[in-house]
Coordinates of all heavy atoms in Angstrom, one line a residue:
M1 N 28.9 31.2 15.5 CA 29.5 30.5 14.3 C 29.8 29.1 14.8 O 30.4 28.8 15.8 CB 30.8 31.2 13.8 CG 31.4 30.6 12.6 SD 30.3 30.5 11.2 CE 31.0 31.8 10.2
H2 N 29.4 28.1 13.9 CA 29.6 26.7 14.2 C 31.1 26.4 14.1 O 31.8 26.8 13.2 CB 28.8 25.9 13.3 CG 28.7 24.4 13.7 ND1 29.8 23.6 13.7 CD2 27.7 23.8 14.3 CE1 29.4 22.4 14.2 NE2 28.1 22.5 14.5
P3 N 31.7 25.7 15.1 CA 33.1 25.4 15.1 C 33.6 24.6 13.9 O 34.8 24.6 13.6 CB 33.4 24.7 16.4 CG 32.1 24.2 16.9 CD 31.0 25.2 16.3
L4 N 32.7 23.9 13.2 CA 33.1 23.1 12.1 C 33.0 23.8 10.7 O 33.3 23.3 9.7 CB 32.3 21.8 12.0 CG 32.5 20.9 13.2 CD1 31.7 19.6 13.0 CD2 33.9 20.6 13.5
F5 N 32.5 25.1 10.8 CA 32.5 25.9 9.6 C 33.8 26.6 9.5 O 34.6 26.5 10.5 CB 31.3 26.9 9.6 CG 30.0 26.3 9.4 CD1 28.8 27.0 9.8 CD2 29.8 25.1 8.8 CE1 27.6 26.4 9.6 CE2 28.6 24.5 8.7 CZ 27.4 25.2 9.1
N6 N 34.1 27.3 8.5 CA 35.4 28.0 8.3 C 35.4 29.2 9.2 O 34.7 30.2 9.0 CB 35.6 28.4 6.9 CG 36.9 29.0 6.6 OD1 37.6 29.4 7.5 ND2 37.4 29.0 5.4
N7 N 36.2 29.1 10.3 CA 36.3 30.2 11.3 C 37.7 30.9 11.2 O 38.0 31.6 12.1 CB 36.1 29.7 12.7 CG 34.7 29.2 12.9 OD1 33.9 30.0 13.3 ND2 34.4 28.0 12.7
I8 N 38.4 30.7 10.1 CA 39.7 31.3 10.1 C 39.7 32.8 10.0 O 39.1 33.4 9.1 CB 40.5 30.7 8.8 CG1 40.6 29.2 9.0 CG2 41.8 31.4 8.6 CD1 41.1 28.5 7.7
R9 N 40.4 33.4 11.0 CA 40.5 34.9 11.0 C 41.8 35.3 10.5 O 41.8 36.4 9.9 CB 40.3 35.3 12.5 CG 38.9 35.2 13.0 CD 38.8 35.9 14.4 NE 39.7 35.2 15.3 CZ 40.4 35.8 16.3 NH1 40.2 37.1 16.5 NH2 41.2 35.2 17.1
E10 N 42.8 34.6 10.7 CA 44.1 34.9 10.1 C 44.7 33.7 9.5 O 45.2 32.8 10.2 CB 45.1 35.4 11.3 CG 44.9 36.9 11.6 CD 46.1 37.3 12.5 OE1 47.2 37.2 12.1 OE2 45.8 37.9 13.5
P11 N 44.8 33.7 8.2 CA 45.3 32.5 7.5 C 46.8 32.4 7.7 O 47.5 33.4 7.9 CB 45.1 32.8 6.0 CG 44.9 34.2 5.9 CD 44.4 34.7 7.2
V12 N 47.3 31.2 7.8 CA 48.8 30.9 7.8 C 49.3 31.0 6.4 O 48.8 30.3 5.5 CB 49.0 29.5 8.4 CG1 50.5 29.1 8.4 CG2 48.5 29.5 9.9
V13 N 50.3 31.8 6.2 CA 50.8 32.0 4.8 C 52.3 31.8 4.8 O 53.0 32.0 5.8 CB 50.5 33.4 4.2 CG1 49.0 33.6 4.2 CG2 51.2 34.5 5.0
C14 N 52.8 31.3 3.7 CA 54.3 31.2 3.5 C 54.8 32.6 3.1 O 54.2 33.2 2.2 CB 54.6 30.2 2.4 SG 56.3 30.3 1.8
A15 N 55.8 33.1 3.8 CA 56.3 34.4 3.6 C 56.8 34.6 2.2 O 56.6 35.6 1.5 CB 57.3 34.8 4.6
K16 N 57.5 33.5 1.7 CA 58.0 33.6 0.3 C 56.9 33.6 -0.7 O 57.0 34.4 -1.7 CB 59.0 32.4 0.1 CG 60.2 32.5 0.9 CD 61.2 31.3 0.6 CE 62.5 31.4 1.3 NZ 63.4 30.3 1.0
C17 N 55.9 32.8 -0.5 CA 54.7 32.8 -1.5 C 54.1 34.2 -1.4 O 53.7 34.7 -2.5 CB 53.7 31.7 -1.1 SG 54.2 30.1 -1.5
A18 N 53.9 34.8 -0.2 CA 53.3 36.1 -0.1 C 54.1 37.1 -0.8 O 53.5 38.0 -1.5 CB 53.1 36.4 1.4
D19 N 55.4 37.1 -0.6 CA 56.2 38.1 -1.3 C 56.1 38.0 -2.8 O 55.9 39.0 -3.5 CB 57.7 37.9 -0.9 CG 58.0 38.3 0.5 OD1 57.1 39.0 1.1 OD2 59.1 38.0 1.0
E20 N 56.1 36.8 -3.3 CA 56.0 36.6 -4.8 C 54.7 37.0 -5.3 O 54.6 37.7 -6.4 CB 56.3 35.2 -5.1 CG 57.8 34.7 -4.9 CD 58.0 33.3 -5.1 OE1 57.1 32.5 -5.5 OE2 59.1 32.8 -4.8
F21 N 53.6 36.7 -4.6 CA 52.3 37.0 -5.0 C 52.1 38.6 -5.0 O 51.6 39.2 -5.9 CB 51.2 36.4 -4.1 CG 49.8 36.7 -4.5 CD1 49.2 36.1 -5.6 CD2 49.1 37.6 -3.7 CE1 47.9 36.4 -6.0 CE2 47.8 37.9 -4.1 CZ 47.2 37.3 -5.2
Q22 N 52.5 39.2 -3.9 CA 52.4 40.6 -3.7 C 53.2 41.4 -4.7 O 52.9 42.5 -5.1 CB 52.7 41.1 -2.3 CG 51.6 40.6 -1.3 CD 51.9 40.8 0.1 OE1 53.0 41.2 0.5 NE2 50.9 40.5 1.0
A23 N 54.3 40.8 -5.2 CA 55.2 41.5 -6.2 C 54.6 41.3 -7.6 O 55.2 41.8 -8.6 CB 56.6 40.9 -6.1
G24 N 53.5 40.6 -7.7 CA 52.9 40.4 -9.0 C 53.6 39.4 -9.9 O 53.5 39.4 -11.1
A25 N 54.4 38.5 -9.2 CA 55.3 37.6 -9.9 C 54.5 36.3 -10.3 O 55.1 35.4 -10.9 CB 56.5 37.2 -9.1
T26 N 53.2 36.3 -10.0 CA 52.4 35.1 -10.4 C 51.2 35.5 -11.1 O 50.8 36.7 -11.1 CB 52.0 34.3 -9.1 OG1 50.8 35.0 -8.6 CG2 53.1 34.3 -8.1
D27 N 50.6 34.5 -11.8 CA 49.3 34.8 -12.4 C 48.1 34.2 -11.6 O 47.0 34.1 -12.1 CB 49.2 34.4 -13.8 CG 49.5 32.9 -14.0 OD1 49.7 32.2 -12.9 OD2 49.5 32.4 -15.1
A28 N 48.4 33.8 -10.4 CA 47.4 33.3 -9.5 C 46.4 34.4 -9.1 O 46.7 35.5 -8.9 CB 48.0 32.7 -8.3
A29 N 45.1 34.0 -9.0 CA 44.1 34.9 -8.6 C 44.1 35.3 -7.2 O 43.6 36.4 -6.8 CB 42.7 34.3 -9.0
S30 N 44.7 34.5 -6.3 CA 44.7 34.8 -4.9 C 45.9 34.1 -4.3 O 46.5 33.1 -4.9 CB 43.5 34.3 -4.2 OG 43.4 32.9 -4.2
L31 N 46.3 34.5 -3.2 CA 47.5 33.9 -2.5 C 47.1 32.5 -2.1 O 47.9 31.6 -2.1 CB 47.9 34.7 -1.2 CG 49.0 34.2 -0.4 CD1 50.3 34.0 -1.3 CD2 49.3 35.1 0.8
Q32 N 45.8 32.3 -1.7 CA 45.4 30.9 -1.4 C 45.6 30.0 -2.6 O 46.0 28.8 -2.4 CB 43.9 30.9 -1.1 CG 43.6 31.2 0.4 CD 42.1 31.2 0.6 OE1 41.3 31.8 -0.1 NE2 41.7 30.6 1.7
E33 N 45.3 30.4 -3.8 CA 45.5 29.6 -4.9 C 47.0 29.4 -5.3 O 47.4 28.3 -5.8 CB 44.8 30.1 -6.2 CG 43.3 30.1 -6.0 CD 42.6 30.6 -7.2 OE1 43.2 30.8 -8.3 OE2 41.4 30.9 -7.1
Y34 N 47.8 30.4 -5.0 CA 49.2 30.3 -5.3 C 50.0 29.3 -4.4 O 50.8 28.6 -4.8 CB 49.8 31.7 -5.3 CG 51.3 31.7 -5.7 CD1 51.7 31.3 -7.0 CD2 52.3 32.1 -4.8 CE1 53.0 31.3 -7.3 CE2 53.6 32.1 -5.2 CZ 54.0 31.7 -6.4 OH 55.3 31.7 -6.8
T35 N 49.7 29.4 -3.1 CA 50.5 28.7 -2.1 C 50.1 27.2 -2.2 O 49.0 26.9 -2.5 CB 50.3 29.3 -0.7 OG1 51.3 28.8 0.1 CG2 48.9 29.0 -0.2
R36 N 51.1 26.4 -1.9 CA 50.9 24.9 -1.8 C 51.4 24.4 -0.5 O 52.6 24.4 -0.4 CB 51.6 24.3 -3.0 CG 51.1 24.6 -4.3 CD 51.9 23.9 -5.4 NE 51.4 24.3 -6.7 CZ 52.1 24.0 -7.8 NH1 53.2 23.4 -7.7 NH2 51.6 24.4 -9.0
M37 N 50.5 24.1 0.4 CA 51.0 23.8 1.7 C 50.6 22.4 2.1 O 49.4 22.0 1.8 CB 50.6 24.8 2.7 CG 51.2 26.2 2.5 SD 51.1 27.3 3.8 CE 49.4 27.8 3.7
D38 N 51.5 21.7 2.8 CA 51.1 20.4 3.5 C 50.9 20.7 4.9 O 51.7 21.5 5.5 CB 52.3 19.4 3.3 CG 52.4 18.9 1.9 OD1 51.4 18.8 1.2 OD2 53.5 18.5 1.5
V39 N 50.0 20.1 5.5 CA 49.7 20.2 7.0 C 49.7 18.8 7.6 O 49.0 18.0 7.0 CB 48.4 20.9 7.2 CG1 48.1 21.1 8.7 CG2 48.3 22.3 6.6
G40 N 50.5 18.7 8.7 CA 50.5 17.3 9.3 C 51.1 17.3 10.6 O 51.7 18.3 11.1
F41 N 50.8 16.2 11.3 CA 51.3 16.0 12.7 C 52.8 15.5 12.6 O 53.1 14.7 11.7 CB 50.5 15.0 13.4 CG 49.1 15.6 13.7 CD1 48.0 15.1 13.0 CD2 48.9 16.5 14.7 CE1 46.7 15.6 13.3 CE2 47.6 17.0 15.0 CZ 46.5 16.6 14.3
T42 N 53.6 16.0 13.6 CA 54.9 15.5 13.7 C 55.2 15.0 15.1 O 54.2 15.0 15.9 CB 55.9 16.7 13.4 OG1 55.7 17.7 14.5 CG2 55.6 17.4 12.1
D43 N 56.4 14.7 15.4 CA 56.7 14.2 16.8 C 56.6 15.4 17.8 O 56.4 15.2 18.9 CB 58.2 13.7 16.8 CG 58.3 12.4 16.1 OD1 57.3 11.7 15.9 OD2 59.4 12.0 15.8
R44 N 56.7 16.6 17.3 CA 56.6 17.8 18.2 C 55.2 18.4 18.2 O 54.8 19.0 19.2 CB 57.5 18.9 17.7 CG 59.0 18.6 17.8 CD 59.8 19.7 17.1 NE 59.3 21.0 17.6 CZ 60.0 21.9 18.3 NH1 61.3 21.6 18.6 NH2 59.6 23.0 18.7
G45 N 54.5 18.2 17.2 CA 53.1 18.8 17.2 C 52.5 18.9 15.8 O 52.3 17.8 15.2
L46 N 52.3 20.1 15.2 CA 51.7 20.2 13.9 C 52.5 21.1 13.1 O 52.9 22.2 13.5 CB 50.3 20.8 14.1 CG 49.5 20.9 12.8 CD1 48.3 19.9 12.9 CD2 49.0 22.3 12.6
Q47 N 52.8 20.7 11.9 CA 53.6 21.5 11.0 C 52.9 21.9 9.7 O 52.2 21.1 9.1 CB 54.9 20.7 10.6 CG 55.9 21.6 9.8 CD 57.2 20.9 9.5 OE1 57.3 19.7 9.4 NE2 58.3 21.6 9.5
V48 N 53.1 23.1 9.3 CA 52.7 23.6 8.0 C 54.0 23.8 7.1 O 54.9 24.4 7.5 CB 51.9 24.9 8.1 CG1 51.5 25.4 6.7 CG2 50.7 24.8 9.0
W49 N 54.0 23.1 5.9 CA 55.1 23.1 5.1 C 54.8 23.6 3.7 O 53.8 23.2 3.1 CB 55.6 21.6 5.0 CG 56.8 21.4 4.1 CD1 56.8 21.0 2.8 CD2 58.2 21.5 4.5 NE1 58.0 20.9 2.4 CE2 58.9 21.2 3.4 CE3 58.8 21.9 5.7 CZ2 60.3 21.2 3.4 CZ3 60.2 21.9 5.7 CH2 60.9 21.6 4.5
C50 N 55.6 24.5 3.2 CA 55.3 25.0 1.8 C 56.0 24.1 0.8 O 57.2 24.0 0.8 CB 55.9 26.5 1.7 SG 55.7 27.0 0.0
R51 N 55.2 23.5 0.0 CA 55.7 22.6 -1.0 C 56.4 23.4 -2.1 O 57.3 22.9 -2.7 CB 54.6 21.7 -1.6 CG 54.3 20.5 -0.8 CD 53.3 19.6 -1.6 NE 52.0 20.0 -1.3 CZ 51.0 19.9 -2.1 NH1 51.1 19.4 -3.3 NH2 49.8 20.3 -1.7
R52 N 55.9 24.6 -2.4 CA 56.4 25.4 -3.5 C 57.9 25.7 -3.2 O 58.7 25.7 -4.0 CB 55.6 26.6 -3.7 CG 56.1 27.5 -4.9 CD 55.2 28.7 -5.1 NE 53.9 28.4 -5.4 CZ 53.5 28.0 -6.7 NH1 54.4 27.9 -7.6 NH2 52.2 27.8 -6.9
H53 N 58.2 26.1 -1.9 CA 59.5 26.6 -1.6 C 60.3 25.5 -0.7 O 61.4 25.8 -0.3 CB 59.4 27.9 -0.8 CG 58.9 29.0 -1.7 ND1 57.6 29.5 -1.6 CD2 59.5 29.7 -2.7 CE1 57.5 30.4 -2.5 NE2 58.6 30.6 -3.2
Q54 N 59.6 24.4 -0.5 CA 60.3 23.4 0.3 C 60.9 24.0 1.6 O 62.1 23.9 1.9 CB 61.4 22.7 -0.5 CG 60.8 21.8 -1.6 CD 60.0 20.6 -1.0 OE1 60.5 19.8 -0.2 NE2 58.8 20.5 -1.4
T55 N 60.0 24.7 2.4 CA 60.4 25.3 3.6 C 59.3 25.3 4.6 O 58.1 25.1 4.3 CB 60.8 26.8 3.3 OG1 61.4 27.4 4.4 CG2 59.6 27.6 2.9
N56 N 59.8 25.4 5.9 CA 58.8 25.4 7.0 C 58.0 26.7 7.0 O 58.6 27.8 6.8 CB 59.6 25.2 8.3 CG 58.7 25.3 9.5 OD1 57.9 24.4 9.7 ND2 58.9 26.3 10.3
V57 N 56.7 26.6 7.2 CA 55.9 27.8 7.4 C 55.7 28.1 8.9 O 55.9 29.1 9.4 CB 54.6 27.7 6.6 CG1 53.7 28.9 6.9 CG2 54.8 27.5 5.1
V58 N 55.3 27.0 9.6 CA 55.1 27.1 11.0 C 55.2 25.7 11.6 O 54.7 24.7 10.9 CB 53.9 27.8 11.5 CG1 52.6 27.1 11.0 CG2 53.8 28.1 13.0
H59 N 55.7 25.5 12.7 CA 55.8 24.3 13.4 C 55.3 24.5 14.8 O 56.0 25.1 15.6 CB 57.2 23.7 13.4 CG 57.2 22.2 13.6 ND1 58.3 21.4 13.3 CD2 56.3 21.4 14.2 CE1 58.0 20.1 13.6 NE2 56.8 20.1 14.2
I60 N 54.1 24.1 15.1 CA 53.5 24.4 16.4 C 53.9 23.2 17.4 O 53.6 22.1 17.1 CB 52.0 24.5 16.3 CG1 51.6 25.7 15.4 CG2 51.4 24.7 17.7 CD1 50.2 25.7 15.0
H61 N 54.5 23.6 18.5 CA 55.0 22.6 19.4 C 53.9 22.4 20.5 O 53.5 23.3 21.2 CB 56.3 23.1 20.1 CG 57.0 22.0 20.9 ND1 58.0 22.3 21.8 CD2 56.8 20.7 21.0 CE1 58.4 21.2 22.4 NE2 57.7 20.2 21.9
F62 N 53.5 21.2 20.6 CA 52.4 20.9 21.6 C 52.9 20.7 23.0 O 52.2 20.6 24.0 CB 51.6 19.6 21.2 CG 50.8 19.7 20.0 CD1 50.3 18.6 19.4 CD2 50.5 21.0 19.4 CE1 49.5 18.7 18.3 CE2 49.7 21.1 18.3 CZ 49.2 19.9 17.7
A63 N 54.3 20.7 23.2 CA 54.9 20.6 24.5 C 54.3 19.4 25.3 O 54.1 19.5 26.5 CB 54.7 21.9 25.3
G64 N 54.1 18.3 24.6 CA 53.7 17.1 25.3 C 52.2 17.1 25.6 O 51.7 16.0 26.0
A65 N 51.5 18.2 25.4 CA 50.1 18.2 25.6 C 49.3 17.6 24.4 O 49.9 17.4 23.3 CB 49.6 19.6 25.8
T66 N 48.1 17.2 24.6 CA 47.3 16.7 23.5 C 46.1 17.7 23.4 O 45.1 17.6 24.0 CB 46.7 15.3 23.8 OG1 47.9 14.5 24.1 CG2 46.0 14.7 22.7
P67 N 46.2 18.7 22.5 CA 45.2 19.7 22.3 C 43.9 19.0 21.8 O 44.0 18.0 21.1 CB 45.7 20.7 21.3 CG 47.2 20.4 21.3 CD 47.4 19.0 21.7
E68 N 42.8 19.6 22.2 CA 41.5 19.1 21.6 C 41.5 19.3 20.1 O 41.8 20.4 19.7 CB 40.3 19.8 22.3 CG 39.0 19.4 21.9 CD 37.9 20.2 22.5 OE1 38.1 20.7 23.6 OE2 36.9 20.4 21.8
A69 N 41.0 18.3 19.4 CA 41.0 18.4 17.9 C 39.7 17.8 17.5 O 39.3 16.7 17.9 CB 42.2 17.7 17.3
D70 N 39.0 18.4 16.5 CA 37.8 17.9 16.0 C 37.9 17.6 14.5 O 38.1 18.5 13.7 CB 36.7 19.0 16.2 CG 35.3 18.4 16.1 OD1 35.2 17.4 15.4 OD2 34.4 19.0 16.6
F71 N 37.9 16.4 14.2 CA 38.1 16.0 12.8 C 36.8 15.6 12.0 O 36.8 15.1 11.0 CB 39.0 14.7 12.7 CG 40.5 15.1 13.0 CD1 41.0 14.9 14.2 CD2 41.3 15.5 12.0 CE1 42.3 15.3 14.5 CE2 42.6 15.9 12.2 CZ 43.1 15.7 13.5
R72 N 35.7 16.0 12.7 CA 34.4 15.8 12.0 C 34.3 16.7 10.8 O 34.8 17.8 10.8 CB 33.2 16.0 12.9 CG 33.1 15.0 14.1 CD 32.0 15.3 15.0 NE 32.3 16.6 15.7 CZ 31.4 17.3 16.3 NH1 30.2 16.9 16.4 NH2 31.8 18.4 16.9
C73 N 33.6 16.3 9.8 CA 33.3 17.1 8.7 C 31.9 17.5 8.7 O 31.0 16.7 8.8 CB 33.6 16.3 7.4 SG 33.3 17.2 5.9
L74 N 31.6 18.8 8.5 CA 30.2 19.3 8.5 C 30.0 20.1 7.2 O 30.7 21.1 7.0 CB 29.9 20.1 9.7 CG 28.5 20.6 9.9 CD1 27.6 19.5 10.1 CD2 28.4 21.5 11.1
E75 N 29.1 19.7 6.4 CA 28.9 20.4 5.1 C 27.5 21.0 5.2 O 26.5 20.5 5.7 CB 29.0 19.4 4.0 CG 30.4 18.8 3.8 CD 30.4 17.8 2.7 OE1 29.4 17.5 2.1 OE2 31.5 17.3 2.5
K76 N 27.4 22.2 4.6 CA 26.1 22.9 4.5 C 25.3 22.1 3.5 O 25.7 21.6 2.5 CB 26.3 24.3 4.0 CG 27.0 25.2 5.0 CD 27.2 26.6 4.5 CE 27.9 27.5 5.5 NZ 28.2 28.8 5.0
K77 N 24.0 22.0 3.8 CA 23.0 21.4 2.9 C 22.8 22.2 1.7 O 22.7 23.4 1.8 CB 21.7 21.1 3.6 CG 21.8 20.1 4.7 CD 20.4 19.9 5.4 CE 20.5 18.9 6.5 NZ 19.3 18.8 7.3
P78 N 22.8 21.6 0.5 CA 22.5 22.4 -0.7 C 21.1 23.0 -0.7 O 20.2 22.3 -0.1 CB 22.7 21.3 -1.8 CG 22.5 20.0 -1.2 CD 22.9 20.2 0.3
K79 N 21.0 24.2 -1.2 CA 19.7 24.8 -1.3 C 18.9 24.2 -2.4 O 19.4 23.9 -3.5 CB 19.9 26.3 -1.5 CG 20.5 27.0 -0.3 CD 20.7 28.5 -0.6 CE 21.4 29.1 0.6 NZ 21.8 30.5 0.3
N80 N 17.6 24.0 -2.1 CA 16.7 23.4 -3.1 C 16.3 24.5 -4.2 O 16.1 25.6 -3.9 CB 15.4 22.8 -2.5 CG 15.8 21.6 -1.6 OD1 16.8 20.9 -1.9 ND2 15.1 21.4 -0.6
Ligands
ZN1 ZN1 56.0 29.2 -0.3

């Protein structure tokens, strides 16, 4: 699998969004559509923030290291 394609094996989810979605409290078709998350770099590392609940989802601490990151965008060619 190419590293620039979607290789996500375990999505990061907001626990509150997941609870509400699983309880049938939303009309969203999927948890992905229901959740609203911001992702960004902080002074500590990388944070995922739930906009819907205004709460931290995860804050990954880089411990001063600079992990390898690939910001290239690779799109599949449309089929003719
Ligand atoms: Zn949430």
